[in-house]
Amino acid sequence: MTQLALVIDLNVCVGCHACVTSCKEWNTSGWAGPLVDQNPYDASPTGTFFNRVQTFEVGTYPNTETVHFPKSCLHCEEPPCVPVCPTGASYKRPDNGIVLVDYDKCIGCKYCSWACPYGAREVDEEQKVMKKCTLCIDRITDAKLPERDRKPSCVLACPTSARLFGDVHDPDSEVSVAIRERGGYQLMPEWGTKPANHYLPRQKTRMHIDLDELTRVDNPLRKEDLTTYTGEETLDDVAW
């Protein structure tokens, strides 16, 4: 069976959120929309997103690094959100493995969000239904689009090509080759959900920093030794 999925390269993701904004733009006006934003900017923002980028600082100063971690529905091969749904609104398509929600059947009970160990489902507070990433199902199955455009909007928008899309059950597909050759891994496989989405690990680099490198050598006060005022004329005192 075909299993469409994303493979995300954490080594080249720069956390620009292009995937987030393109996802929001496409899906809010598409088959899965609208994606509301009731209070997007205050201390307690609310809104519906299919894709989010979480950013972490790892390590201890000065040996630190920033990790950008995009996360959306992983389209599990054994999705726990499907069997708990009392109305059959959550289902997995047999032709491509994508997990979807039928809004006409959804009653907003949130059982699926409790069952999902990844926190990938969000409730739409206006429509009172659960929403999640659809892998842009309306786009990738649109025969009127050129084949190169039949990809999720997040994949097409990524400026660093950190997001790959394809059939992970096809051993010769781009995603399967990337997983096999670059150590792709699933998120929390111990849950037994068999996530279809995979991540490519960051390449560890060793960095040597001398203590004097932690002080800015281009600091103008240090260059001219003007840490204390001497009464001497400086360039700041000259009238041109």
Side-chain angles (χ1 to χ4, degrees):
M1 183 185 78
T2 299
Q3 178 60 67
L4 298 178
L6 296 173
V7 172
I8 300 172
D9 189 348
L10 298 180
N11 198 55
V12 296
C13 175
V14 295
C16 66
H17 288 249
C19 57
V20 177
T21 55
S22 64
C23 169
K24 188 86 165 182
E25 180 183 13
W26 175 265
N27 287 292
T28 197
S29 58
W31 171 83
L35 306 184
V36 299
D37 282 317
Q38 292 179 317
N39 188 26
Y41 299 115
D42 292 342
S44 300
T46 58
T48 306
F49 286 83
F50 288 174
N51 179 48
R52 295 180 184 269
V53 177
Q54 300 170 338
T55 299
F56 306 92
E57 292 293 332
V58 180
T60 304
Y61 178 82
N63 298 308
T64 60
E65 58 179 331
T66 301
V67 178
H68 303 293
F69 196 88
K71 188 159 68 86
S72 58
C73 174
L74 302 173
H75 299 279
C76 303
E77 298 194 44
E78 299 291 339
C81 57
V82 171
V84 301
C85 181
T87 64
S90 290
Y91 65 100
K92 186 175 178 69
R93 283 184 54 148
D95 58 336
N96 53 32
I98 296 177
V99 178
L100 297 172
V101 178
D102 186 338
Y103 297 157
D104 292 332
K105 295 180 180 179
C106 180
I107 58 175
C109 66
K110 302 182 183 178
Y111 281 0
C112 58
S113 65
W114 296 336
C116 175
Y118 309 105
R121 289 179 171 236
E122 302 186 11
V123 62
D124 187 308
E125 294 293 349
E126 289 191 3
Q127 289 187 295
K128 304 299 181 183
V129 295
M130 302 305 297
K131 295 188 176 182
K132 55 175 286 301
C133 166
T134 67
L135 287 180
C136 295
I137 187 68
D138 53 336
R139 184 185 190 109
I140 65 176
T141 59
D142 188 351
K144 297 189 296 293
L145 290 176
E147 187 173 354
R148 67 176 183 275
D149 292 333
R150 294 180 209 165
K151 296 179 181 180
S153 60
C154 61
V155 175
L156 296 172
C158 182
T160 62
S161 298
R163 305 174 75 90
L164 307 177
F165 172 69
D167 181 7
V168 293
H169 283 181
D170 178 1
D172 297 322
S173 67
E174 180 185 19
V175 288
S176 293
V177 171
I179 293 169
R180 185 169 59 249
E181 296 184 354
R182 300 176 58 188
Y185 63 92
Q186 297 171 320
L187 188 61
M188 298 193 301
E190 63 272 16
W191 285 98
T193 60
K194 298 181 181 178
N197 286 8
H198 285 65
Y199 291 88
L200 302 181
R202 289 172 58 85
Q203 297 176 5
K204 291 294 183 180
T205 57
R206 186 173 297 277
M207 184 169 53
H208 177 73
I209 300 178
D210 294 319
L211 290 179
D212 59 348
E213 292 178 351
L214 299 179
T215 304
R216 283 184 54 189
V217 295
D218 60 339
N219 190 327
L221 296 181
R222 185 181 179 192
K223 274 185 174 182
E224 301 179 25
D225 195 22
L226 297 177
T227 53
T228 57
Y229 182 62
T230 61
E232 299 177 3
E233 186 180 75
T234 68
L235 289 177
D236 293 331
D237 301 319
V238 175
W240 298 92

